[in-house]
Amino acid sequence: MAGMIIGGVAAGDVDDDGDIDLFVVSEGTGENTLYLNDGHGTFSATLLAATPLFESGPLFVDYDGDGFLDIIMGGVSPTDLQLNSVRVYRNLGILGGVSFELDVPATADLTPPSELSTFSISAGDINGDQRLDLFLTHWQTTLTGNVPGEDDVILHGGGFLWSNDGGGAFTDITTQAGLDDLEFTFTANFSDIDGDGDLDLLISSDFGSSRVLVNDGGGVFSESTGSVLSDENGMGSAVGDYDGDGDMDWFVSSIFDPSGVAEAGWGITGNRLYQNDGSGTFTDVTESAGVRMGFWGWGSCFADFDNDGWLDLFHVNGWPEEPGNEFFNDPSRLFMSNGDGTFTEASFGNGLVDDGQGRGVVCFDADRDGDIDIFVANNGDGPSLYMNQIKQSTQPFNYLGVVLKGPFPNTQGIGALITIIPLIGGTPSIERTQVREIRAGNNFVSQNPAEAHFGLGDATSVDLSVRWPDGFVSNVSNVAANQLLVLSHPSR
């Protein structure tokens, strides 16, 4: 079954030329492929990192703090459990080219027990040391051995948390962090859901085991799930401020069966949208928001596709096996925000006719024209790239892109919070304030680039504030719209 789930892609500026490149895993059918972007949304392919793995969940992240994006990816083997490895490829930072080498020590550090497949990988600084730690998801349950005369042996099947010790070394801190009872994890994201300045953990998990875990400081987490989480088969995940109130909300893709009959042991009641009240407490607003019906959902992302200032929602779908073959040709779902907390499904009307076996998805500005495009990684088939044409049929609203340059070792500013206030006629429009987190997170076996995109509507400039991961605050006034702003930490 594991081989039917994967299909991963990572997005990031791997050659440091200002545009977004893509790394697509092979699913065990050949070499992985690095697609280098020429800046106009046209890509050249380079085969990279041939392995015997069914690779999954690639992540671009500067784990060693040298300023260049490295690649970390999981492995899923349906035939040989010894191949369920994690591979770390270090970017050598060669001027005028791209070259990677296998980081053998880091790879050895991150290898989980052979029984565990690794689906997705996310990065964030959980303890304030500015080094990026890693969470790996595994879709297994916790196993406890009860052998007479011997101590119980606990296998942390649902997920592992690895501390970045510096110099490319990692240590398993799952138990110390309070995370050793997770089960069936698919997609994890670090996000400051309670606004206290440290990164909490949101985990989409199968069979009713999704979790909310609050960072109590220093990288120790406590349970905050509560009874509101009701997703039956949590798979993909999107985190963002969809309602414009300044805190991070959470979408979880799941299974909606239009027949109303579960042929096997899955739920049928669809996606979930959890609205944050600002303190990290969530309310299920799925029904009122209108995002429940997504068929068999996987990779998901929030993005402002029409640049009107409100986050829209996209996710891919599909399941190829009987029973449940009604999901084989599931269409992808595009939920466009109505600006009032509700959404309208509009995939076909906007040219998104994808009905393949979508698993991973990346929402990013492929051609740097100021709108968000979509790349879909399909299981068992080639990927699809959809270029955004929405602005050609509606009012061409303005935008702002923001890339952060942080100091060593968190060179991308992962965990930073960016706030903008649009200026209308030179006057701040507080009611149109928007917030984005810079995240090395996961959509499900896939990763958006670690940059922010703001749709500005008719606003032509903004006031901007960045709360950096170290707590320093940068303020920039009267930033012109329709540009990609590169902002460096003052210590660089």
Side-chain angles (χ1 to χ4, degrees):
M1 184 184 76
M4 295 186 293
I5 293 176
I6 59 175
V9 53
D13 184 6
V14 72
D15 53 1
D16 201 28
D17 64 352
D19 49 49
I20 301 302
D21 311 300
L22 300 170
F23 177 71
V24 181
V25 298
S26 70
E27 301 179 42
T29 60
E31 292 181 309
N32 304 299
T33 305
L34 177 65
Y35 292 95
L36 294 178
N37 193 338
D38 69 355
H40 303 287
T42 302
F43 296 83
S44 58
T46 301
L47 297 180
L48 180 70
T51 76
L53 297 171
F54 279 64
E55 296 89 356
S56 183
L59 181 74
F60 276 135
V61 63
D62 182 13
Y63 72 93
D64 54 4
D66 66 356
F68 298 98
L69 291 182
D70 312 296
I71 299 172
I72 305 177
M73 58 181 168
V76 176
S77 172
T79 58
D80 187 348
L81 293 178
Q82 297 300 318
L83 298 181
N84 291 335
S85 176
V86 175
R87 299 291 180 105
V88 180
Y89 288 90
R90 187 166 64 89
N91 188 337
L92 300 180
I94 297 176
L95 185 64
V98 179
S99 183
F100 292 85
E101 69 175 9
L102 181 67
D103 186 331
V104 176
T107 293
D109 284 349
L110 291 171
T111 300
S114 61
E115 293 86 353
L116 299 180
S117 298
T118 301
F119 285 93
S120 297
I121 303 171
S122 302
D125 174 19
I126 64 166
N127 54 11
D129 64 1
Q130 304 307 307
R131 295 192 289 264
L132 296 179
D133 311 298
L134 301 174
F135 187 87
L136 278 59
T137 67
H138 299 297
W139 197 86
Q140 271 91 353
T141 187
T142 301
L143 304 177
T144 304
N146 293 293
V147 180
E150 296 184 13
D151 293 335
D152 286 348
V153 177
I154 299 178
L155 174 64
H156 309 300
F160 274 78
L161 181 64
W162 301 87
S163 170
N164 187 336
D165 302 330
F170 293 88
T171 299
D172 174 16
I173 59 168
T174 309
T175 298
Q176 300 95 302
L179 300 175
D180 56 8
D181 63 342
L182 303 175
E183 296 182 333
F184 302 115
T185 62
F186 268 142
T187 308
N189 280 284
F190 292 106
S191 177
D192 183 9
I193 61 170
D194 54 7
D196 64 354
D198 53 33
L199 294 179
D200 310 300
L201 190 55
L202 300 173
I203 305 176
S204 299
S205 304
D206 213 350
F207 300 118
S209 60
S210 292
R211 303 282 287 277
V212 178
L213 297 147
V214 172
N215 192 335
D216 294 329
V220 177
F221 294 83
S222 62
E223 186 72 45
S224 186
T225 302
S227 61
V228 69
L229 265 62
S230 60
D231 50 275
E232 297 161 318
N233 299 96
M235 295 174 182
S237 183
V239 181
D241 181 17
Y242 85 94
D243 54 359
D245 64 355
D247 52 52
M248 295 299 114
D249 309 297
W250 185 25
F251 173 82
V252 177
S253 64
S254 191
I255 303 171
F256 180 89
D257 193 331
S259 72
V261 178
E263 291 87 352
W266 54 64
I268 60 174
T269 62
N271 301 322
R272 296 295 191 274
L273 179 58
Y274 300 119
Q275 184 182 49
N276 191 349
D277 71 355
S279 69
T281 300
F282 291 97
T283 299
D284 185 342
V285 295
T286 309
E287 196 66 32
S288 60
V291 297
R292 184 179 300 280
M293 185 179 172
F295 305 107
W296 194 301
W298 294 102
S300 313
C301 62
F302 278 124
D304 186 355
F305 292 107
D306 56 2
N307 284 339
D308 66 350
W310 296 94
L311 289 179
D312 310 302
L313 179 62
F314 177 80
H315 74 83
V316 295
N317 301 280
W319 187 245
E321 189 178 62
E322 296 185 15
N325 58 5
E326 69 262 37
F327 299 105
F328 186 78
N329 292 315
D330 278 357
S332 56
R333 299 285 82 185
L334 174 64
F335 296 101
M336 298 296 294
S337 174
N338 298 316
D340 59 1
T342 68
F343 296 81
T344 298
E345 207 290 313
S347 54
F348 284 89
N350 286 292
L352 286 168
V353 295
D354 192 290
D355 60 359
Q357 290 294 311
R359 296 297 183 270
V361 63
V362 171
C363 298
F364 72 120
D365 187 357
D367 50 2
R368 289 302 192 202
D369 67 347
D371 54 35
I372 298 297
D373 310 298
I374 297 174
F375 183 92
V376 176
N378 291 301
N379 181 271
D381 200 356
S384 301
L385 175 61
Y386 293 91
M387 304 303 291
N388 192 336
Q389 305 296 311
I390 294 177
K391 71 176 184 180
Q392 295 184 6
S393 58
T394 61
Q395 180 180 352
F397 286 143
N398 299 314
Y399 76 95
L400 178 68
V402 182
V403 172
L404 299 183
K405 299 290 186 180
F408 173 87
N410 187 358
T411 60
Q412 289 186 289
I414 302 300
L417 196 71
I418 304 176
T419 303
I420 64 146
I421 301 175
L423 302 178
I424 307 298
T427 301
S429 181
I430 303 298
E431 69 277 5
R432 292 172 57 178
T433 298
Q434 297 182 51
V435 177
R436 301 283 188 272
E437 276 184 326
I438 299 297
R439 191 178 301 117
N442 214 273
N443 304 327
F444 176 77
V445 301
S446 52
Q447 169 208 13
N448 285 347
E451 60 183 49
H453 175 91
F454 297 91
L456 301 182
D458 57 358
T460 57
S461 62
V462 305
D463 288 341
L464 181 146
S465 176
V466 179
R467 187 191 74 189
W468 293 86
D470 63 2
F472 185 85
V473 176
S474 297
N475 295 297
V476 186
S477 299
N478 201 26
V479 177
N482 300 326
Q483 64 165 312
L484 179 67
L485 177 68
V486 179
L487 189 62
S488 295
H489 190 283
S491 67
R492 279 181 64 108

